[in-house]
Amino acid sequence: MSLNVSAVRADFPILQRKIHGKRLVYLDSAATSQKPRQVLESMDQYYTQKNANIHRGLHTLAEEATLAYEEAHRKVASFIGATSMEEVIFTRNTTESLNLLAYSLTQKLKKGDEILLTQMEHHSNIVPWQQMAKQRGLVVKYLPINATGELEDFSHLNTKTKIVSLAHTSNVLGTTNNIQKIAKRAHEVGALCVVDAAQSVPHKSVNVRTLGADFVAFSGHKMLGPTGSGVLWGKKSLLDGMSPFLYGGDMINEVSFQGSTWNTLPWKFEAGTSAIAEGIGLGAAVDYLTRLGMDAIEAHEKELVKYAFKTLDVEIHGPPAERHAGVLSFSLPGVHPHDLATLLDHEGIAIRGGTHCAMPLMGLLGVAGTARASVYIYNDKSDIDALADSLKKARKVFA
Amino acid sequence: MNLDPNYVGDGLYREHILDHYKHPRSAGKLDNASFSHRELNASCGDEVTIFVNEKKDVIDAFRFVGKGCAISQATISMLSEVIVGKTFSDIMQMQREDILELLGIDVGAQRTKCMMLGLVALKNGIALYQAKREYG
């Protein structure tokens, strides 16, 4: 079934906005998606009907808030094919999920152990590992990318490798990595496989059990959910053996002045009062995506990518159209990406210009930054046409 | 949509700004400069290295080498036309408003850093030069 984009668009109040008197053409969903009213209403309903702190307090509101928050975990678990909600930890965002892993998974590593990343990683999947490596004497290595921005050389993967952490889909190149294959190779040398799925889970069906990785991190706010909602999925057997990342209330079982024991999963990793409304909002986002169907969403974006490759007269970084996700980074010779973003903004078109939190990758591409247009469920071909027209104009201005 | 080739946004990329961007005045290095200084906007990658010759704390000659967006580079080019002959203390007193006057248009909050890069480079360069001269 294909997407009914005009019906989808009607659910997003912000798309009615005019920007500089023009129709808003939102092509920055890789940064954060817009939110449908169903998500906004679910949070509004929580605040107006159920607001209370969860997992404590015996009154009706506390009970209802707890149930709603736990139900959101169950929805996410089912959405990604997790065995149970115990494997689904709510965080603030992908960055926090990856920091949790970097901290907790490196506790038992020894000096000289290797962490393997790739050259296409977002800063959030580089910096936490670099910091832990500095503290513990670990070595960080990077799988190189080839001319089409894809991985093919895995020679850095060896028996010293303890953790392989990589993007499922690159937020710059639109490359989608073959996680099944890489996770298998990681396991063969005894390494764990961590996946930054921030750019994949919102856009296609991802089943954590068939993916084959040990941990999967993603952001709720890139998949119609509110900001401040993120997820870390991990295999229960591994999460059970890991140290908590944040300590305090709600993550403990028993506390004395001498010491403490930890709460059960997933709460062991959710210290303090959670972002309750945001968690509930993420549950509503998952409902919305499920109703549309992830396969239909993927097909819709593929169609737009194909059309964009045909229509936009620019060099797009990364793999060819048939293997390219809905993240389109490009450079217009002689026009700095920030100038381009500003010019397009005056046409009502929202794109990202800059380094996309991937400065090492920009160095490899030999550019100071790129312009990036990214598509989602509410975009259609007219948005790509608007972008193409404005790029023509930008060329003229800077000719 | 306006596809007029002479259309330049709503004024941000008006003719004189683009002209300075495409044909920067005072581009290049100064041999035997009194001092040079590099300034960077890390978040957007704009950068400039300025070269200054001074005589008794008056700017005698100025050149720059830079790369980055039109706003950052055009502003430095425009600055170069007005700073020769100014004293260090004149420069230190220059503000955001002076740069806006050169540009003739407000660039908005997100681009303020681009617009200020040249003046920041000058002020920091002068401060470092004076400190070094005084304290060695």
Side-chain angles (χ1 to χ4, degrees), chain A residues 119-139:
Chain A
Q119 288 179 336
M120 71 176 84
E121 299 312 312
H122 187 282
H123 294 163
S124 63
N125 198 26
I126 297 177
V127 184
W129 302 109
Q130 282 178 338
Q131 287 307 110
M132 289 300 118
K134 219 188 271 176
Q135 287 181 20
R136 298 181 185 280
L138 311 171
V139 178

Side-chain angles (χ1 to χ4, degrees), chain A residues 92-267:
Chain A
R92 277 187 306 144
N93 43 41
T94 306
T95 298
E96 186 180 313
S97 300
L98 292 170
N99 271 272
L100 188 164
L101 291 174
Y103 172 82
S104 195
L105 291 179
T106 53
Q107 299 286 313
K108 291 171 190 161
L109 296 190
K110 296 187 302 292
K111 201 164 180 253
D113 283 347
E114 293 182 4
I115 294 164
L116 186 54
L117 312 174
T118 82
Q119 288 179 336
M120 71 176 84
E121 299 312 312
H122 187 282
H123 294 163
S124 63
N125 198 26
I126 297 177
V127 184
W129 302 109
Q130 282 178 338
Q131 287 307 110
M132 289 300 118
K134 219 188 271 176
Q135 287 181 20
R136 298 181 185 280
L138 311 171
V139 178
V140 178
K141 289 188 169 173
Y142 300 88
L143 289 172
I145 55 170
N146 65 14
T148 54
E150 294 169 289
L151 300 174
E152 59 178 23
D153 174 1
F154 294 93
S155 52
H156 282 318
L157 183 62
N158 60 55
T159 51
K160 281 195 203 155
T161 312
K162 300 301 169 202
I163 297 164
V164 178
S165 186
L166 78 167
H168 193 184
T169 296
S170 159
N171 73 310
V172 176
L173 300 165
T175 310
T176 297
N177 292 311
N178 185 338
I179 300 298
Q180 279 179 312
K181 189 176 97 182
I182 295 165
K184 189 160 169 275
R185 295 182 70 151
H187 292 153
E188 279 166 7
V189 297
L192 293 169
C193 182
V194 173
V195 174
D196 166 2
Q199 301 293 346
S200 64
V201 166
H203 302 282
K204 60 195 274 188
S205 171
V206 173
N207 182 306
V208 292
R209 274 176 298 175
T210 53
L211 197 64
D214 300 292
F215 300 94
V216 175
F218 54 98
S219 292
H221 70 90
K222 293 190 202 289
M223 50 187 281
L224 312 183
T227 52
S229 69
V231 177
L232 170 63
W233 169 86
K235 285 181 182 159
K236 183 174 183 301
S237 54
L238 294 169
L239 291 173
D240 273 333
M242 284 161 54
S243 323
F245 176 47
L246 299 171
Y247 298 85
D250 208 28
M251 55 75 64
I252 38 78
N253 179 28
E254 195 173 31
V255 179
S256 71
F257 287 119
Q258 283 70 44
S260 310
T261 57
W262 312 137
N263 201 344
T264 52
L265 288 170
W267 319 121

Side-chain angles (χ1 to χ4, degrees), chain A residues 154 179 191 242 247 294 304 331 359 365:
Chain A
F154 294 93
I179 300 298
M242 284 161 54
Y247 298 85
M294 294 312 290
L304 287 180
S331 308
M359 285 165 80
L365 296 175

Side-chain angles (χ1 to χ4, degrees), chain A residues 20 22 334-336 338-339 342-343 346-347 355 359 368 386 389-390 393 396-399, chain B residues 1-3 5 7-10 12-13 18 21-22 42-44 46 68-71 111:
Chain A
H20 300 294
K22 310 276 170 60
V335 189
H336 190 280
H338 284 158
D339 293 323
T342 300
L343 272 173
H346 287 279
E347 300 296 326
T355 61
M359 285 165 80
D389 286 348
S390 293
K393 186 186 293 181
K396 278 180 188 153
V397 170
F398 280 88
Chain B
M1 181 166 297
N2 191 340
L3 280 175
Y7 174 81
V8 282
D10 67 350
L12 186 49
Y13 295 96
L18 287 170
Y21 175 57
K22 292 173 192 168
S43 61
C44 44
D46 295 336
C69 68
I71 303 298
R111 304 300 294 274

